[in-house]
Amino acid sequence: MAFLQSAPPRQPIFRAPPVVMWLLALIAALHLARIIQPPGVSESLVYRYGLIPALYDHASIAAHLGNLGTVWIRAFRFVSYMGIHADITHLAVNSLFLLAFGPIVAKRFGAPLFLVFFLVCGVAGGGLHVAM
């Protein structure tokens, strides 16, 4: 009596926890906010909030060590660079990898610890980039 059986319930396309979907939306919104700016402003945002290893050489750090605002901005860049993407391909690849691996970690750790883990890994990745 197969005709009496109800259809199985529809499965969601993405089984990602809300924290992962919100993080993807935030990253996409930051990219959209940057690319709708005029070209000069968009480039300025990349140079101001992107992680540029040349700004962390010995001479540059020694010259600006006394200015706490500069120290704060240099430290903040280790977090802000995670929201800056060069183009739509860069954004798509990063988003796909976050969508592939993020739900596993988010379900295991929970939303708050996942966000902490995301930030720690981003800062560590930025530190490795600067060190190399």
Side-chain angles (χ1 to χ4, degrees):
M1 301 191 77
F3 63 89
L4 292 178
Q5 294 177 351
S6 63
R10 296 186 60 109
Q11 297 294 322
I13 294 175
F14 299 114
R15 292 185 177 195
V19 67
V20 174
M21 299 307 288
W22 281 107
L23 193 55
L24 287 169
L26 174 67
I27 292 169
L30 289 171
H31 181 69
L32 180 65
R34 187 184 65 82
I35 63 171
I36 63 172
Q37 301 298 321
V41 175
S42 181
E43 290 174 9
S44 174
L45 288 172
V46 170
Y47 288 121
R48 184 174 186 129
Y49 297 110
L51 189 62
I52 303 167
L55 297 175
Y56 296 91
D57 65 350
H58 295 293
S60 180
I61 289 176
H64 299 290
L65 195 57
N67 185 352
L68 289 180
T70 304
V71 171
W72 166 248
I73 257 306
R74 285 172 195 255
F76 181 68
R77 284 180 177 155
F78 279 91
V79 174
S80 65
Y81 89 96
M82 291 186 275
I84 296 178
H85 294 85
D87 55 14
I88 195 71
T89 304
H90 183 200
L91 176 68
V93 169
N94 281 4
S95 296
L96 284 175
F97 275 95
L98 180 59
L99 193 56
F101 298 107
I104 299 165
V105 178
K107 287 176 186 174
R108 175 78 178 197
F109 288 175
L113 194 55
F114 170 74
L115 291 174
V116 170
F117 183 71
F118 181 81
L119 287 173
V120 167
C121 288
V123 170
L128 182 63
H129 178 63
V130 169
M132 297 307 270

